[in-house]
């Protein structure tokens, strides 16, 4: 395979990318008087891209390099890419730094220049307009292989996609009691619209839009239809964007959509503006309705108005402390604004709220309860809280024995900690009970670890 070697070890420490001076030692980038501090993984992502200017790096290559031997949620790369672009002042739709190539990966298109120590001290505060010539990476042609790694990685990505999809599902899924908001409209019509909406499919979402529109034609002040239509229109823009080329693509999270940039398209902004008006109208009519504030928070987050979105979610929670969907949305907004520990705590609080509401809302909560526990485990492992992450994976398995996502995540964690036999036993049982599972079909042997031999059959 003629793929570039992608590892964050040995990459350049001080370098220019376009108008920005980057210092990996401090985690800062600077352009003139403007200084931005990047999270460690966001800086690792920038360093990796800078080592391969002009080259397309696939999602799998980036995950392998930036998050080696770590279980991460499926949207980890989208989150890091969004934060990097925001720090650089880049626009995904008119990229000057990082270009997205749909279904292929990312590439750095800005010029890159490595700085020596002397240059670093003398040019740190120079004008950002000085052109820098792109150069080929001086990164040594190293290749770190971990036997079985590719199989594990693919399986975790596939299974994590289902878990991450709950971020949007939970955006709309909890059903706290609300007042009877439709007097003359048959309540079954509103319920039918909600039922279509909660299918989280494109066809179901479009059916919901049609029904909500019909209700509002007869009753313009129907709060349930106002907030429902706001949610459905926002979800349409997040998940199923209309491409100018006519192509179609599905996005499972708000973070991935923001990283892609399609929410900035004029057609999307117009629809999101309408959704915001609908949500605000619902709030004006029913200021005590938690669900309407949650709908407003989602559309504000889709417009990148994160502080306002966080305020809306917190208002929803003041009205209903167990609004677990609002807590999930709040977690994502906090993550996108760099408040990672608060984000994790909001996710933990969401799971606790789901536990408290489980008996009365089992139909809505059951499909996502275990998935959320796995997602909490993923986020904890990402920030180095591996023991806590392990406990959450085990918690998920206690609720749903042999859950493939939880089993594979826990096995991957154990394997990374050198507990090979424990990982092996988990996978052996999973394969025996459910048939061969991706990622468990080839288990690493103690003798395999640390070798650079290619996998058989590849």
């Amino acid at each position: 395979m003629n793929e570039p070697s992608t590892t964050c070890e040995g990459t350049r420490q001080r370098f220019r990318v376009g108008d920005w001076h980057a210092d990996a030692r401090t985690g800062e980038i600077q352009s003139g008087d403007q200084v931005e501090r990047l999270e460690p993984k966001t800086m690792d992502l920038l360093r990796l891209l800078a080592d391969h200017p002009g080259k397309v790096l696939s999602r799998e290559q980036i995950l392998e390099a930036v998050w080696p031997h770590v279980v991460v949620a499926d949207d980890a790369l989208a989150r890091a890419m969004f934060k990097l672009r925001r720090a650089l002042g880049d626009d995904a739709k008119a990229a000057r730094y990082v270009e997205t190539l749909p279904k292929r990966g990312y590439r750095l298109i800005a010029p890159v220049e490595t700085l020596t120590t002397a240059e670093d001290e003398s040019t740190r505060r120079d004008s950002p307009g000085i052109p820098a010539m792109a150069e080929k990476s001086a990164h040594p042609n190293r290749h770190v292989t971990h036997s079985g790694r590719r199989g594990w990685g693919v399986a975790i990505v596939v299974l994590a996609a289902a878990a991450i999809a709950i971020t949007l599902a939970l955006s709309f899924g909890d059903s706290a009691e609300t007042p009877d908001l439709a007097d003359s409209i048959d309540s079954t019509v509103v319920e039918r619209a909600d039922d279509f909406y909660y299918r989280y499919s494109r066809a179901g979402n479009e059916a919901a839009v049609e029904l909500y529109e019909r209700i509002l034609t007869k009753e313009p002040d129907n709060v349930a239809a106002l907030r429902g239509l706001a949610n459905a229109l926002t979800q349409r823009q997040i998940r199923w964007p209309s491409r100018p080329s006519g192509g179609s693509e599905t996005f499972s999270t708000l973070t991935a959509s923001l990283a892609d940039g399609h929410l900035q398209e004029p057609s999307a902004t117009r629809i999101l503006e309408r959704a915001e008006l609908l949500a605000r109208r619902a709030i004006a009519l029913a200021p005590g309705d938690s669900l309407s504030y949650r709908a407003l928070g989602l559309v504000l987050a889709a417009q990148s108005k994160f502080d306002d979105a966080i305020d809306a979610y917190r208002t929803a929670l003041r009205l209903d402390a167990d609004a677990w969907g609002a807590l999930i949305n709040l977690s994502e907004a906090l993550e996108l604004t760099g408040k990672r520990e608060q984000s994790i705590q909001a996710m933990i609080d969401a799971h606790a709220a789901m536990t408290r509401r489980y008996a009365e809302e089992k139909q809505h909560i059951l499909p996502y309860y275990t998935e959320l526990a796995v997602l909490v485990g993923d986020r904890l492992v990402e920030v180095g809280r591996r023991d806590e992450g392990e406990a959450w994976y085990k918690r998920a398995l206690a609720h749903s024995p042999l859950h493939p996502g939880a089993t594979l995540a826990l096995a991957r964690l154990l394997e990374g900690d050198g507990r090979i036999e424990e990982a092996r036993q988990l996978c052996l049982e999973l394969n025996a009970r459910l048939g061969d599972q991706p990622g468990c079909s080839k288990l690493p042997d103690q003798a395999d670890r640390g070798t650079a031999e290619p996998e058989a059959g590849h």
Side-chain angles (χ1 to χ4, degrees), residues 10 74 77 87 122 160 183-184 219 243 261 329 363 365 393 435 437:
D74 192 49
L77 176 54
S122 64
D183 295 326
S184 59
E219 284 198 8
R243 299 292 195 186
N329 292 151
Q363 180 179 355
I365 291 174
Y393 294 144
Q437 298 293 306

Side-chain angles (χ1 to χ4, degrees), residues 214-231:
R214 291 181 189 176
I215 294 167
L216 292 173
T217 298
K218 293 183 177 181
E219 284 198 8
D221 290 342
N222 186 301
V223 174
L226 284 166
R227 70 166 182 253
L229 183 57
N231 277 330

Side-chain angles (χ1 to χ4, degrees), residues 1 10 34 71-72 105 115 117-118 146 158 169 250 264 322 330 337 340 365 377 389 429 449 455:
M1 296 175 63
Q34 182 180 355
V71 178
V72 294
L115 299 176
T117 302
H146 186 78
V158 171
T250 298
Q264 299 171 14
D322 284 340
L330 175 62
T337 53
R340 172 159 287 193
I365 291 174
E429 183 177 6
R449 292 177 58 83
E455 297 178 32

Side-chain angles (χ1 to χ4, degrees), residues 160-237:
I164 287 298
I166 68 172
T167 303
L168 282 180
L170 294 179
S171 299
F172 319 111
D174 62 291
S175 55
E177 291 185 10
T178 55
D180 183 6
L181 301 170
D183 295 326
S184 59
I185 291 287
D186 187 341
S187 62
T188 61
V189 179
V190 178
E191 292 172 1
R192 182 150 40 99
D194 289 342
D195 286 342
F196 276 118
Y197 179 72
Y198 294 142
R199 293 179 185 179
Y200 311 118
S201 66
R202 188 169 190 171
N205 196 73
E206 291 305 307
V209 168
E210 178 66 24
L211 288 172
Y212 289 135
E213 295 275 22
R214 291 181 189 176
I215 294 167
L216 292 173
T217 298
K218 293 183 177 181
E219 284 198 8
D221 290 342
N222 186 301
V223 174
L226 284 166
R227 70 166 182 253
L229 183 57
N231 277 330
L233 291 176
T234 304
Q235 184 178 16
R236 177 199 279 171
Q237 299 312 306

